[in-house]
Amino acid sequence: MSTTPIYGGIEAGGTKFVCAIGTGPQDLRAEIRFPTTTPRETISRAVGFFQEQQERLRCQLAAVGIASFGPVDLNPASLTFGYITSTPKPGWQNVDLMGAIREELNVPVAFDTDVNGAALGEGLWGAAQGLDTFIYLTVGTGIGGGGLVGGQLIHGLLHPEMGHIRIPHERQTDPYEGNCPFHGDCLEGLASGPAIEARWGTRAENLPPDHPAWALEAHYLALALTNFICVLAPQRIILGGGVMKQRQLFPLIRAEVQALLGGYIQARPLLEEIEEYIVPPQLGDYAGVLGAIALARRAVDAASIATQS
Ligand code: ADP
Ligand code: ZN
């Protein structure tokens, strides 16, 4: 009898949920996408999908991974562990997403940020294979970063909030004040998709590739990446999210990161192989849900190591 475990993954986004069953990118057995509405309706659709698919595929999921928008509580000792906490998304403050899924499906649940999930998936199957210290940054409706350091997903006091770092903002060249409700002109406030739209009066996807918006965007992202490189020493940085579909940003960002570092960090990928250092994701539209499946896999693998030893 085959004992290959099968996993469920939930990409819990502020706009849409994606749920899938499988073991990896070559083996996704079912998938569903639906808009994020109320917590009750959205969670029950996810639960319904997994119940139906378990019946159809005659399988019992070994675990479900959830890669969630946030902020989320990832501290197992906390009373609100597994909750979406202070999100501005109406109706979703203090929602026990992990608990609801675990109770309804009666399976172990692994829970992390969407970007930590995406980083883990890219590490297993995509653009960061073989590395143990790297970052995944998404530049979309918001800016968020996750990653691994020494093979461990980055958790600490909370989870990283890489989108909210402060970067130089020269108001003479860029008078736009920024749109972060907490900080105004933090990185997210200056460089998210909605910030680009607010500054130039056009949705980011409708700005032509040679528009000055992109040089400014690359400038802000290069400042941020330079800080992440100095703080975390990542072996690679993956840039995803809707805004990074503008592929002309990559060479601009790479050149400016090199200029900002000024040759100080003597590492080959930064000096000579920057095209392989700052890269797009490889898992495409499935990055989020595969990240969730990767979280489930990792939790099951860790548990089986613990019971063996
Ligand atoms: P989310 O962050 O909500 O999960 P996305 O990563 O798709 O979703 O980000 C949405 C943002 O990205 C919007 O602000 C949108 O204007 C912008 N965006 C989407 N596609 C493109 C594109 N091709 N070029 C530039 N910006 C884009
Ligand atoms: Zn901010």
Side-chain angles (χ1 to χ4, degrees):
M1 195 182 89
S2 163
T3 53
T4 313
I6 300 179
Y7 307 95
I10 304 178
E11 175 191 357
T15 316
K16 67 173 189 318
F17 266 50
V18 184
C19 303
I21 290 185
T23 59
Q26 312 308 329
D27 176 34
L28 282 180
R29 305 187 190 178
E31 188 223 355
I32 188 171
R33 294 172 184 246
F34 47 86
T36 308
T37 56
T38 62
R40 182 192 289 265
E41 184 181 55
T42 312
I43 292 169
S44 90
R45 281 188 86 163
V47 167
F49 166 78
F50 288 116
Q51 285 170 337
E52 264 169 49
Q53 295 302 325
Q54 288 190 114
E55 247 171 65
R56 185 180 75 87
L57 299 165
R58 295 176 201 285
C59 69
Q60 171 68 45
L61 296 173
V64 170
I66 307 175
S68 178
F69 72 104
V72 289
D73 186 343
L74 301 179
N75 175 6
S78 160
L79 288 174
T80 52
F81 176 47
Y83 281 51
I84 295 177
T85 57
S86 56
T87 175
K89 190 168 171 63
W92 283 84
Q93 292 91 8
N94 300 315
V95 167
D96 183 9
L97 179 57
M98 184 179 86
I101 297 291
R102 190 175 45 205
E103 271 154 43
E104 296 282 342
L105 292 174
N106 200 22
V107 288
V109 175
F111 186 66
D112 217 309
T113 59
D114 44 10
V115 278
N116 264 351
L120 193 61
E122 291 287 338
L124 269 182
W125 303 303
Q129 289 175 61
L131 305 179
D132 65 21
T133 300
F134 58 92
I135 291 173
Y136 180 98
L137 193 78
T138 182
V139 188
T141 305
I143 297 184
L148 282 81
V149 170
Q152 300 296 316
L153 285 161
I154 310 175
H155 297 146
L157 181 63
L158 299 165
H159 46 77
E161 287 286 1
M162 298 186 199
H164 295 271
I165 61 165
R166 305 312 189 102
I167 51 169
H169 173 207
E170 284 166 24
R171 287 171 189 270
Q172 290 92 329
T173 42
D174 177 21
Y176 178 61
E177 70 275 16
N179 67 354
C180 173
F182 295 93
H183 316 115
D185 63 352
C186 66
L187 175 66
E188 177 173 297
L190 290 173
S192 65
I196 299 172
E197 181 176 348
R199 180 185 292 109
W200 303 102
T202 309
R203 281 187 72 82
E205 50 269 56
N206 297 331
L207 292 166
D210 58 352
H211 192 280
W214 303 120
L216 186 65
E217 180 72 8
H219 171 65
Y220 289 140
L221 292 174
L223 284 165
L225 264 47
T226 304
N227 290 334
F228 300 149
I229 291 166
C230 292
V231 173
L232 289 173
Q235 296 151 334
R236 190 166 295 156
I237 296 177
I238 304 168
L239 297 179
V243 172
M244 295 311 303
K245 288 184 182 158
Q246 300 288 327
R247 287 295 196 256
Q248 74 279 14
L249 284 170
F250 281 91
L252 298 174
I253 293 168
R254 290 172 185 138
E256 194 159 349
V257 164
Q258 284 182 318
L260 287 165
L261 289 170
Y264 175 62
I265 300 180
Q266 294 284 321
R268 216 181 135 83
L270 287 172
L271 299 170
E272 291 161 36
E273 293 158 2
I274 192 103
E275 295 78 17
E276 290 153 46
Y277 184 77
I278 296 170
V279 298
Q282 285 179 2
L283 297 176
D285 287 345
Y286 288 92
V289 78
L290 283 169
I293 288 178
L295 289 170
R297 263 181 83 130
R298 190 177 173 93
V300 168
D301 291 350
S304 65
I305 288 165
T307 45
Q308 276 162 23
S309 58

